[in-house]
Every structure is written in C-alpha cells, then in structure tokens.
Amino acid sequence: MNDARIRIAVLDDYQHVAMRSADWSPLEVRADITVFHDHVADHDVLVRRLQPFDAACVMRERTPMTGELIAALPRLRLIASTGRANASIDLDAAAARGVEVVNTNYSSTPTIEFTWAAILGLMRGIAPEAASVRAGGWQVGLGSELHGKTLGILGLGRIGSKVARIGQAFGMQVIAWSQNLEEEAASALGVRRVSKQELLAQSDVLTVHVRLSERTHGLIGAADLTAMKPTARLVNSSRGPIVDEAALVDALRSGRIAGAAVDVFDEEPLAEDHPFRTLPNVQATPHIGYVTEEMYRTFYGDTVRNLVDWLDRQSA
C-alpha cells in the first residue's frame, strides 16, 4: 500500500455487503479502501486500527467517533457517516481538528415496516413456533389478535405517524404521547393524544419512536413498566437507552409485562451472556430495523459520492 495515496476505512461491515451495495470503482484509482467486517469497542485497539487512515466510513452509531478517538487520529480528515445525522460523532471535536463530517440520505420505510414485523412476530409467537418446527415439534403456544386492541405510540413523528396508520388498518385503537406532541397533530392523524400515564396503562402494544436525547434517555423506567398491563408487549426499534434496560429485564423476568420485541440495545453488539438472548418472552433482533438492500444501496452509494466529492475538493 502506497503511503502517498489516500486511505479509506469502511467500518463495521457485519454482513460483508458494503462493496457490493455500491459501485466503488470511482475511488479505486484514487484511494486505497480497507473494509473491516468486525466490530472493535476497545479504544486503544480502535486507535491502532484507524491511525493509518485519512477517511473513516461509519455505519450509523456502530462505532462512536468520540472526541477522544478523533484526537488520537492526527491523519484523519473525513468522517463519512450513513444517515442524515449521527449522534455518536463529536461534531465539535471534529470541527476543532479540521475533520469534515458528511452524511447520506435516509428513508424511514425500513424501520416502519420492521416495526410491524416485530409486532406481528411478537403477538403471534412466530419465533418460538418456527423454532419448534425446526426442532421437529409442532404448535407450542397461542397467538394474540391485534384487532380491537390498543396500540400505544411513544412519539408520533415521521415513523410513529406511519406506524399509527398501519395500526388503524388492523382495526386497533391508536393512542400516543410524547413530550412535544400537540393535540391537534394527533387528531389530524385520527390518533387520541393521552398522558404518559394513560399511554402506559391502556396500551396492549407500546412501541417506541422518539429520538434518543438527554430528555428521552431512560424515558421508560421501572415505574413505567410497572404501570403497564401484565398482558402488554413493548416494542423498541428506536434506541436502546430510551428504555431502562435493567428495568425491562426485571419486568420480563417477573412477568410484569407479557413480552418485548427489542431491536436496539445499550451496547451493541449485544453481549453473549445478555439476558435478552435467553429470556423466553423476548424477541431480540440485532438492530436490523434499517437494514435492507435498498437502504444499504442508498447509504453506500451516497458514501461513495461523498468520498469522490471530498477527493475532488482536495485536488482542486
């Protein structure tokens, strides 16, 4: 590898699909590209890995680009992130060190569709029934219908509003609450705005669609889970820390709620010994709410264009 050439690192390509999700040929004659398929959490190991690179391509928040990490990478000049925003990048630290940060387009469609896959899978026990068939067994439980039940939505924004429409199509009563939700906005969608307490007490399915921030960190805690129906299910395809993870584990173990579909976690990848991997009333998936062929083509296609534009500016 020629030290004079630009070096680009593509991080956390878990599924080995980055290079086939876009046409990287416009970069191949101008830069050396290294794709990493594993995830590195250890700071020192990550610094050693990234020190030779001029540009780092990050997939969402898989590898946080902290101020400490950026400071340890004097060669780094560009962070190319997927998605329209990435809360795990320290933008102030990047700006202070002259590191440019660029982003890609994003669509809510995969997450909206996945949310309903998670709800239906949870309500009908699809994972345990499929596992039973694979193990040579047959029916092992009873599913539960959606029609006539109450869908509670925590956050009625871009994703939550579309989730609400689908719930209505299933014949569900849809209620919603968030810190910023106005009565008029909810009514325009045919959704009943309720208090947080009513949301918790009335929901048969409670699905989380708020952004992670200081205000929403731990928004659903132990007392909130206790306030839910013992027959209720919780679905989180937004961000793990919005729901107190330890409190959720305790509620599921004790049967205070019937089940949960969890696609996002406090730390990712999920630890091998994490209770979510073994609790029988948990449907755990590896943060795949946005992971589709179409979304990856957008992410990596835009990343290539961002890198080309950046290289053009360097040589201008």
Side-chain angles (χ1 to χ4, degrees), residues 53-247:
F53 293 97
D54 303 280
C57 303
V58 296
M59 174 59 75
R60 303 293 294 273
E61 296 94 0
R62 290 179 183 176
T63 294
M65 301 300 291
T66 64
E68 184 183 9
L69 178 61
I70 292 169
L73 303 174
R75 182 165 173 163
L76 185 68
R77 289 185 280 159
L78 179 73
I79 300 171
S81 175
T82 58
R84 290 179 181 152
N86 186 335
S88 72
I89 299 174
D90 189 327
L91 297 176
D92 291 337
R97 299 190 66 86
V99 177
E100 186 176 348
V101 178
V102 293
N103 298 87
T104 70
N105 286 313
Y106 173 79
S107 169
S108 301
T109 297
T111 303
I112 295 163
E113 294 178 353
F114 174 82
T115 296
W116 278 102
I119 292 172
L120 290 165
L122 187 62
M123 296 295 284
R124 297 302 298 270
I126 289 176
E129 297 291 355
S132 175
V133 172
R134 283 185 177 272
W138 202 236
Q139 298 175 8
V140 294
L142 293 176
S144 184
E145 297 177 10
L146 294 172
H147 185 86
K149 290 189 170 62
T150 298
L151 174 67
I153 301 180
L154 181 62
L156 199 62
R158 185 178 64 249
I159 294 175
S161 60
K162 299 289 180 60
V163 170
R165 289 176 58 189
I166 298 169
Q168 291 162 343
F170 276 115
M172 302 185 77
Q173 304 299 315
V174 184
I175 61 177
W177 174 83
S178 72
Q179 291 142 319
N180 298 321
L181 180 60
E182 299 290 339
E183 179 75 42
E184 187 175 331
S187 297
L189 295 166
V191 174
R192 184 163 58 91
R193 183 188 180 277
V194 295
S195 67
K196 184 182 182 185
Q197 292 72 25
E198 290 171 315
L199 182 81
L200 296 164
Q202 296 177 21
S203 296
D204 294 298
V205 178
L206 175 61
T207 181
V208 178
H209 300 293
V210 291
R211 292 183 178 180
L212 179 62
S213 67
E214 288 185 6
R215 288 204 310 163
T216 62
H217 193 287
L219 187 59
I220 299 296
D224 301 302
L225 294 165
T226 300
M228 294 175 68
K229 298 177 183 180
T231 55
R233 277 89 164 178
L234 183 143
V235 177
N236 189 4
S237 58
S238 183
R239 290 294 182 273
I242 295 167
V243 180
D244 184 314
E245 197 167 272

Side-chain angles (χ1 to χ4, degrees), residues 302-315:
D302 286 356
T303 292
V304 170
R305 284 187 283 275
N306 285 336
L307 288 165
V308 169
D309 288 345
W310 177 71
L311 286 170
D312 288 344
R313 292 196 300 275
Q314 305 310 300
S315 57

